[in-house]
Amino acid sequence: MLQLEVLALTAFAFVLPLFEVPKNLLWIIYSGLWLANRLRSRDFGGPWNAWDTLIALWIASGFVSAAFAGLHHNEWVSAVDVLRYASVLWMLQRSGYDEGQLRKVLAALVLGTLAGLAWGYYGVRVTGQNRFLGLNSVGHVNHSAIYVTIVFGAAIAWVRAAWATTSTARRVFGVVSCLVFALSLVVMESRATVGVGFVVAFLVVGVYATRSRKPLWTVLLGAVVIATALFAAKPEVVKKNALRLHENLFLAHRDAIWRAGFIAWRQYPVFGVGMGNYGRINFDRLEEWSRAQGETLDRASVLPQSHAHSLYLNTLVERGVTGLAALLAVLAAWCWVLVRHLPRAEDSSMRWAFWGGASSAWLVTVIVGAVNTTLHHEHALACMLLLGGWLALRRLRPAPPTPAVRA
């Protein structure tokens, strides 16, 4: 039964960026197998801990917001999204999986993303059905770039940590995968994710060098060379940024979107308009809410959208200060466990891969989240797979280092 459980999780990780219906079915199957196995063994992963409390409050914040939502449409359905990705974190951190089992999950994440990119390139370059490169189940190019950056962090961490102990074939596969991810981010032209992807690579390689007591100047030199080459080549993402600055549209109308969001939050400050109801904010409601405050709405200054293009504002508007407090608590605990429990130089490549993946996921969520709505649907599930895997590994006693393999 445990083998079936791991198989379901591995399949879920693979199809995550590819197919919508199989992804949902596999989450249900995995959850059922996980619960059945734990009931059978009477082992749910030890006593209740701080992460259990935090996850429970995080899930509850979505349903409390739905119960007291200012607007009514999708709030209960959307609250299930929090339940879904938070439950993946909860099950993984209590799973007791060993490195061999988690290696399958990591491989599935990487291979699924590569398959999704291959599908995306086919649609752009061969059939011409798609204008922008993206992942089928993730959707919009910016959201696809967020997903790729998260997985990129795990891949580059594994490559660096496994370099001395793995075979030449695996080294080549790892390097090629990282190059595909990095180049795809440039092709996707998402300014925020290109910048954060660069930060992720520098952080992961830099931390490994520091923990291994190797000189950091080589990492710094590599970062400078890559940055210089990128700007010298002037890919479309650099040209896009220059054009936005020239047109005085650096935020791409996000300021108008955010002003609309703040007007809505001011109307329902504690529990928000309800998850999934951001798109219900329209000009008529904005004018009504402005009149209630004794103000006159300037329609040219606001722009209603389906979401806030900001994790923090989207959470604040949809779930109020209650939901934002829960989110910030999770982000703070997530950061603490990464900084407080850095892998050692002699730790296995799997520990480094999941630490690197969880770190990448945190950086993408927090930094890109300032200008885009991260940590939902596929983004959040990928994040929780990596963070949950890291929490599971942290509970295990580190295995002795693998002897180096001759290249």
Side-chain angles (χ1 to χ4, degrees):
M1 286 290 285
L2 183 60
Q3 290 87 346
L4 286 176
E5 176 188 319
V6 175
L7 178 62
L9 180 62
T10 303
F12 171 75
F14 180 80
V15 304
L16 187 53
L18 297 171
F19 305 107
E20 193 70 22
V21 174
K23 170 188 65 184
N24 294 326
L25 289 176
L26 284 166
W27 169 64
I28 295 171
I29 293 170
Y30 171 69
S31 301
L33 288 170
W34 190 97
L35 183 60
N37 285 336
R38 299 312 175 282
L39 287 171
R40 185 165 54 87
S41 65
R42 298 183 181 180
D43 180 8
F44 283 82
W48 190 271
N49 59 40
W51 273 102
D52 297 316
T53 301
L54 187 58
I55 294 169
L57 291 174
W58 194 15
I59 294 172
S61 70
F63 289 101
V64 168
S65 170
F68 298 98
L71 302 178
H72 301 289
H73 186 61
N74 288 323
E75 63 273 16
W76 288 104
V77 173
S78 297
V80 175
D81 188 42
V82 181
L83 171 63
R84 182 170 56 171
Y85 57 71
S87 69
V88 169
L89 174 62
W90 186 75
M91 288 185 286
L92 267 170
Q93 68 107 10
R94 288 189 156 272
S95 64
Y97 295 151
D98 59 29
E99 291 191 10
Q101 292 161 332
L102 288 171
R103 183 178 292 109
K104 297 175 183 177
V105 177
L106 180 67
L109 267 176
V110 172
L111 291 173
T113 308
L114 290 172
L117 287 172
W119 188 355
Y121 278 115
Y122 181 79
V124 172
R125 305 295 184 186
V126 180
T127 67
Q129 292 179 339
N130 301 324
R131 181 182 175 188
F132 298 107
L133 177 63
L135 301 171
N136 183 63
S137 187
V138 179
H140 191 278
V141 59
N142 287 346
H143 295 171
S144 293
I146 290 168
Y147 190 97
V148 170
T149 308
I150 291 168
V151 179
F152 172 60
I156 199 169
W158 178 84
V159 170
R160 184 63 192 92
W163 192 261
T165 59
T166 195
S167 65
T168 301
R170 290 185 177 182
R171 291 179 193 173
V172 171
F173 175 78
V175 170
V176 170
S177 298
C178 289
L179 287 174
V180 169
F181 294 149
L183 291 174
S184 296
L185 290 177
V186 175
V187 171
M188 289 173 171
E189 299 181 28
S190 174
R191 293 171 293 164
T193 50
V194 168
V196 173
F198 184 79
V199 171
V200 164
F202 176 76
L203 172 73
V204 169
V205 177
V207 169
Y208 185 85
T210 302
R211 297 293 279 178
S212 304
R213 296 185 179 181
K214 295 179 179 179
L216 197 57
W217 69 265
T218 55
V219 179
L220 292 170
L221 179 61
V224 171
V225 170
I226 292 172
T228 302
L230 184 64
F231 281 97
K234 290 188 178 180
E236 290 301 319
V237 67
V238 176
K239 295 177 183 178
K240 178 181 177 181
N241 190 61
L243 180 62
R244 289 283 190 268
L245 289 172
H246 177 72
E247 296 175 341
N248 198 26
L249 289 174
F250 180 72
L251 292 175
H253 302 292
R254 282 177 173 82
D255 51 339
I257 297 171
W258 295 340
R259 277 192 289 270
F262 274 118
I263 292 173
W265 169 72
R266 190 173 56 181
Q267 189 70 16
Y268 305 105
V270 180
F271 299 110
V273 300
M275 285 191 68
N277 291 342
Y278 197 99
R280 309 290 288 179
I281 301 169
N282 53 35
F283 283 115
D284 291 340
R285 284 195 167 103
L286 292 171
E287 286 181 335
E288 178 186 344
W289 295 334
S290 296
R291 283 196 300 269
Q293 298 293 327
E295 301 170 354
T296 301
L297 178 71
D298 177 12
R299 285 200 172 202
S301 68
V302 296
L303 181 61
Q305 290 276 289
S306 59
H307 62 97
H309 290 271
S310 167
L311 168 66
Y312 311 106
L313 184 60
N314 202 82
T315 304
L316 184 65
V317 174
E318 290 194 343
R319 286 182 266 172
V321 293
T322 304
L324 183 62
L327 170 67
L328 294 178
V330 170
L331 293 177
W334 187 348
C335 180
W336 170 256
V337 79
L338 293 173
V339 174
R340 180 68 178 80
H341 301 282
L342 287 174
R344 303 170 302 172
E346 63 270 21
D347 280 348
S348 69
S349 58
M350 275 300 102
R351 288 179 179 268
W352 275 100
F354 275 94
W355 178 88
S359 298
S360 173
W362 186 89
L363 286 168
V364 171
T365 297
V366 171
I367 300 176
V368 180
V371 292
N372 216 319
T373 310
T374 54
L375 203 65
H376 69 90
H377 297 89
E378 293 80 17
H379 309 157
L381 289 165
C383 288
M384 296 306 105
L385 285 171
L386 292 165
L387 175 59
W390 170 240
L391 292 176
L393 286 174
R394 195 173 60 84
R395 289 186 171 195
L396 297 177
R397 178 176 296 177
T402 306
V405 175
R406 191 181 298 273

